[in-house]
Amino acid sequence: DQQVKQNSPSLSVQEGRISILNCDYTNSMFDYFLWYKKYPAEGPTFLISISSIKDKNEDGRFTVFLNKSAKHLSLHIVPSQPGDSAVYFCAASEGMQGAQKLVFGQGTRLTINP
Amino acid sequence: KAGVTQTPRYLIKTRGQQVTLSCSPISGHRSVSWYQQTPGQGLQFLFEYFSETQRNKGNFPGRFSGRQFSNSRSEMNVSTLELGDSALYLCASSLELRSYGYTFGSGTRLTVV
């Protein structure tokens, strides 16, 4: 059972335009959400996160939106740059005592076209 | 400062063999987690270690095991390898448990033939 889903395996966007990556989740206990970016032959790198008590978090060109009622989050990149071409993973974490376990989506490959 | 180091970078093994992967976390990081990445499945959580104790485990068979040493370095072992174990295995470290500041290594690409 995939608790975190990224339904678009790939996305192609023109340079300078907005990139919107989507993520849906099923577990209502998730209380923290993260986006990671991964280049080939490298490990994922943390991009931006949002707590369930917020509905928006912004960091430079990156903004994450959380819609708890729809169990949906999205990552907006504005403006998109060629260096943004990578695989993006959303991840969710459930509030609990002790150890942390991130549940990742399958990833969306973003290609920025010049 | 040095990042998370995983060795080896690439491995080719035959079915039935066993393999050990190594992960050295960032200096000072005490939590180490392991993930398996396969096409179409994304990253799947294997287990997390903190203070030499396994704190959480994902839904993987008992053939997958791990351990953490007193210097926080961690190893992951897979016994009786199957073709389906071919994947990129990623290690991530963080300062503490429940710390979202994960830093991932570049991974070990395991191919089972």
Side-chain angles (χ1 to χ4, degrees), chain B:
Chain B
K1 60 180 178 183
V4 178
T5 304
Q6 290 187 249
T7 56
R9 288 297 307 274
Y10 302 94
L11 262 179
I12 299 177
K13 291 284 190 178
T14 56
R15 277 180 298 177
Q17 285 188 310
Q18 77 164 19
V19 66
T20 299
L21 312 181
S22 179
C23 172
S24 293
I26 289 174
S27 177
H29 282 196
R30 299 198 293 159
S31 173
V32 174
S33 296
W34 289 89
Y35 288 83
Q36 180 195 64
Q37 185 189 2
T38 54
Q41 290 293 320
L43 283 80
Q44 293 185 289
F45 174 78
L46 280 154
F47 25 66
E48 179 175 19
Y49 284 87
F50 182 81
S51 293
E52 302 176 62
T53 303
Q54 188 181 93
R55 301 300 179 126
N56 203 354
K57 192 176 191 304
N59 296 324
F60 280 81
R63 301 185 295 107
F64 291 81
S65 63
R67 58 177 176 169
Q68 187 181 33
F69 302 95
S70 57
N71 62 358
S72 295
R73 190 177 71 85
S74 177
E75 287 182 347
M76 190 192 98
N77 185 275
V78 188
S79 62
T80 320
L81 283 166
E82 300 176 1
L83 294 178
D85 297 332
S86 296
L88 179 68
Y89 289 88
L90 290 160
C91 162
S93 75
S94 61
L95 272 171
E96 302 286 343
L97 283 175
R98 294 290 294 165
S99 167
Y100 297 108
Y102 268 174
T103 300
F104 280 85
S106 298
T108 294
R109 171 74 61 186
L110 172 65
T111 302
V112 182
V113 297

